[in-house]
Amino acid sequence: MSIIEVNYKASPTMARFHASNAFNRIVRGPVGSGKSSGCCFELFRRACEQAAFLDPDTKRPTRFSRFVVVRNSCPQLRDTTIKTWLDWIPENLGHSKFNHQEMTHTLHFNDVFCEVLFRSLDRPEDVNKLLSLEVTGAWFNECREMPKAIFDAMSDRVGRYPSQRMGGCTWRGIIGDTNPPDDDHWLYNLAEKERPEGWEFFVQPGGLIERNGEFFENPEAENIDHLEPGYYTTRQAGKSKEHIKVYYCNEYGFVRDGKPVIHEYVDAVHCSQQVLEPDLNQTLFIGLDFGLTPAAAFMQRDTMGRIYIIDEMATEDMGAQTFGELLKSKIQREYMDFLIKGQKIVICGDPAGEQRSQADEKTPYQILNKILKDIGLSASKAHTNDFTVRREAFAAPLTRLIDGKPGLLVSPKAAVIRKGLSGGYCYKRLKVSGDERYRNEPDKTKWSHAVEAAGYALLAMGEGKAVLGTSDVKREPVSSRRGSPTREY
């Protein structure tokens, strides 16, 4: 048997990572920081440290273990994760074999017998397999791209091999590596807000640091000895500031990958520094977008004509009934004073909400209005679903100055809408050679529905008809408050 030498020296952050036995461990770092290599070695050493069990077939003590490595797509799994793994763990180590068709590495050397399964999330059969595995542990490579539901489901699958009959697991758990996610990501919430028991987060120093708006090499950066000289400074050329901060400085942030639909929005100009409070003396407009990810936007116009996006309600995987109940509850909980005072509340949404469900032939509006009737409200469809009109209804107030101030402001409370306007609501880039090209229609993302809900509120406020030159923007439509006649806006 040939001797294969593997030299791995953990960086300071990865050394702390290896020393932890927390059930969930996540390491966040810039590109090139060695976090994926560290995760490869972590699985390898845990396989070697598994307590031996007397194999009844061979009559020899054997260290049995099984791990699953997960990436969000099969090409990324093959082109990055598996290549990194095989760089550290040779395909033919001892009696080991790598089945490229099944994407499984069967490690067999000395007294170690370990299966490493590589699985993606872009094939339904792989997702189903994940939910029926019995493994020792799991590694989520670039886990910011993973749905929280998959992560939660995996926690029920680890620690189940080897079985108690075989002596049980010496170690069990989930590890993950990631570049910085956005500040509304589930990983951010866990690491910076919730900090649940059983979770540990490890943060590597950035490859670059920012001083007075410029970026310089960070003397504390890790894994530099394994990178070419000037690795980060060379690669920052031509990159956006957001890209540099996320991928090279290891800071939480949002990097858009597409062409913004509402390109007139400038976050530094149009996002309020303070939370915008509702004004009981002004009409409250609520825009709605339906589908399986329904959303609501709460908006007002002040006495000067400026438009404020004061609040939002963004959901995922939700039907009209549940959405309607949540909307009603939010109105009662946070906007009850409007109901008590009798101030106008106008609810306007996507005309597609008039389409009947195949299950019970009821439209979202019928379901919603039955729920809202209890509090004296009703919703109506917008006068148009024309994309150009809806987009220009946003552009007009964003480019308008009123008394030297922007014509539209977004409250920090409307975080999803803000992120959507910053580029999350975008035209998806086409994968073609030559000049950059984009799709003709916006990409459906977790941000697009909330932004489109705000767009329908703008139509109700008269902005759509103002674009067409048929209405004064300060005209207010008829209220749907307390049984008033409803109309199309």
Side-chain angles (χ1 to χ4, degrees), residues 90-163:
E91 187 170 344
N92 59 342
L93 176 64
H95 300 288
S96 303
K97 293 181 180 179
F98 195 101
N99 187 321
H100 288 269
Q101 183 174 355
E102 295 293 331
M103 289 196 290
T104 299
H105 198 181
T106 303
L107 296 175
H108 190 190
F109 60 95
N110 300 335
D111 61 350
V112 173
F113 188 90
C114 173
E115 293 177 282
V116 183
L117 317 174
F118 295 85
R119 299 292 180 263
S120 66
L121 294 179
D122 59 352
R123 298 188 304 188
E125 61 269 25
D126 282 341
V127 175
N128 293 333
K129 289 176 183 177
L130 285 180
L131 303 181
S132 60
L133 289 174
E134 292 188 348
V135 296
T136 310
W139 166 28
F140 283 95
N141 183 214
E142 197 53 58
C143 57
R144 70 174 183 175
E145 299 171 352
M146 306 297 169
K148 180 63 162 51
I150 294 292
F151 211 97
D152 291 341
M154 184 62 74
S155 68
D156 297 327
R157 312 314 306 174
V158 301
R160 301 184 64 163
Y161 182 86
S163 66

Side-chain angles (χ1 to χ4, degrees), residues 386-399:
D386 184 273
F387 170 72
T388 301
V389 174
R390 290 189 288 121
R391 205 214 77 83
E392 293 305 313
F394 247 119
L398 285 171
T399 54

